[in-house]
Amino acid sequence: MKLHILGCYAATPRTLTNPTSQVLEVKNHMFLIDCGEGTQVQLRKHKIKFSRINHIFISHLHGDHFFGLSGLVSTFRLLGREKELHIYGPKGIKEAITLLLKLGDSWTNYQLYFHELTNKGPEVIFEDDKITVETIRLNHRIYTNGFLFKEKLGERKLNVEAVAKHKVDKAYFQNIKNGRDVVLDNGMVIPNADLSFDPPTPKSYAYCSDTAYKPDIVEQITNATALYHESTFLESEVHLAVRTKHSTAKEAAAIAKAANVGQLILGHYSTRYKSIDLFKEEALEVFPNVELADDGKFFDF
Ligand SMILES: [Zn+2]
């Protein structure tokens, strides 16, 4: 999985910091997650092909997570897009975007599908043969979902030397990849384990922004390869975190530790702090593998 951070700061866009948006590349998909103001500029700046984005996931309807969406939808039209575009987000997102298109008499010339979410618990909202996307119910001032992107278990890998040694015909290869044993013409059975290797462990990415400290998400995201968890504040401002339903770096790390994730990526920083390194220092006291998201940063996991 490859993760491009386009923006990871809370509240308003500033000269050097952008509101939330990121692109996850997985199994030939390019998923756009949240779309704060300026997202299309960031896409251009980081040379990410607009045309490969077919699915957009919006966590909640605070401006710093979706004010870039109407502009992007409109730009797709100007670029002559023909492929359909799917937008997943809270109920109301369709009304918000279509009103702007209607007032400007600028309907898209491609199919635009809204998948409005009202679920109270986790729900699978996208699935194909290689991946699923589930919502993670978060606790914020308005209705908010995180998203869990999960690879499916792939086919077994053919043991090329073993199939050659046993002179197994090519016609059996797909069955071997599907986990079946092979019966030779003389009746001898070769167990599947002798002819193939286990598939790679499926990866997963959990995106959790914005939310108050919410330990009941741990079960759903346990063993995720990577967790992006918001850390708007440090513990010194925990009272603000509680009041605004955000998390501190320490709380994000506690979630990462309880869920035993591979790595924690912090983001959604308040711009009140002098350095984002403070967030990493605080989280490292609780959990060992902490990375800082930053605009333009790229993660491969
Ligand atoms: Zn918010």
Side-chain angles (χ1 to χ4, degrees), residues 124-277:
V124 174
I125 54 172
F126 174 84
E127 180 166 19
D128 67 10
D129 57 336
K130 294 204 167 71
I131 189 156
T132 59
V133 184
E134 299 171 8
T135 57
I136 304 168
R137 191 63 203 279
L138 300 176
N139 176 18
H140 194 39
R141 301 192 303 279
I142 55 172
Y143 175 80
T144 303
N145 287 296
F147 302 104
L148 178 61
F149 301 82
K150 286 195 326 199
E151 288 179 355
K152 291 183 177 176
L153 189 67
E155 292 180 333
R156 298 184 63 80
K157 297 270 175 236
L158 203 64
N159 181 337
V160 180
E161 284 176 16
V163 292
K165 188 179 123 198
H166 291 286
K167 299 193 172 64
V168 178
D169 191 88
K170 262 193 218 153
Y172 292 103
F173 286 4
Q174 190 56 49
N175 279 347
I176 295 170
K177 289 181 193 169
N178 292 343
R180 300 229 196 104
D181 298 336
V182 169
V183 184
L184 298 178
D185 290 344
N186 63 10
M188 189 180 145
V189 177
I190 311 174
N192 186 277
D194 292 353
L195 300 171
S196 67
F197 302 109
D198 288 341
T201 309
K203 292 177 182 172
S204 58
Y205 172 60
Y207 171 85
C208 297
S209 187
D210 299 353
T211 188
Y213 178 58
K214 192 167 186 283
D216 68 2
I217 64 172
V218 165
E219 192 186 337
Q220 191 188 358
I221 65 171
T222 288
N223 297 328
T225 315
L227 163 67
Y228 176 94
H229 196 292
E230 74 127 288
S231 55
T232 309
F233 299 105
L234 296 173
E235 273 296 296
S236 47
E237 278 69 44
V238 67
H239 57 288
L240 292 181
V242 170
R243 195 194 306 157
T244 58
K245 293 204 172 183
H246 282 297
S247 298
T248 66
K250 188 179 169 189
E251 288 170 336
I255 297 289
K257 185 182 178 189
N260 189 39
V261 301
Q263 66 173 307
L264 168 65
I265 303 170
L266 295 174
H268 203 266
Y269 319 109
S270 161
T271 48
R272 73 182 54 231
Y273 301 103
K274 276 203 190 81
S275 163
I276 58 172
D277 292 336

